[in-house]
């Protein structure tokens, strides 16, 4: 990628201890002063600003789900 570019992968595990399914909105900050792009994600996302991205993560009742994404900047 070069001296001035990075690629990072994040994994966020979410657990639901409720009796009902839920959707957790995960908001992640990005390096807004730089150009960035998400090159891989197991969950669809929405860019909500130059600095933030939002992932709606479904988690079944008494279950867990993992959000994994890779960002380049």
């Amino acid at each position: 990628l070069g001296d001035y570019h990075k690629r990072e992968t994040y994994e966020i595990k979410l657990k639901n201890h409720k009796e009902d399914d839920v959707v957790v909105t995960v908001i992640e900050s990005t390096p807004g002063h730089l150009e960035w792009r998400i090159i891989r994600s197991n969950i669809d996302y929405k860019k909500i600003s130059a600095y933030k991205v939002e992932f709606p993560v479904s988690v079944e009742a008494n279950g867990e789900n993992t959000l994994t994404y890779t960002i380049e900047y």
Side-chain angles (χ1 to χ4, degrees):
L1 286 176
D3 293 337
Y4 300 105
H5 293 89
K6 291 187 179 183
R7 179 183 295 154
E8 297 177 327
T9 299
Y10 295 92
E11 181 178 277
I12 301 168
K13 290 187 178 192
L14 301 164
K15 294 183 181 181
N16 179 10
H17 296 284
K18 296 182 179 184
E19 297 296 323
D20 299 314
D21 297 349
V22 297
V23 175
V24 178
T25 301
V26 177
I27 298 175
E28 289 284 278
S29 296
T30 62
H33 63 283
L34 303 169
E35 284 190 38
W36 58 269
R37 66 185 180 121
I38 294 178
I39 60 168
R40 192 174 307 118
S41 178
N42 66 329
I43 294 175
D44 290 336
Y45 63 91
K46 177 180 167 185
K47 181 178 178 179
I48 56 177
S49 76
Y51 307 97
K52 294 185 189 232
V53 63
E54 175 182 282
F55 299 88
V57 183
S58 299
V59 187
E60 293 181 0
N62 295 304
E64 63 181 58
N65 198 356
T66 302
L67 162 63
T68 305
Y69 70 94
T70 301
I71 186 168
E72 282 185 354
Y73 58 92

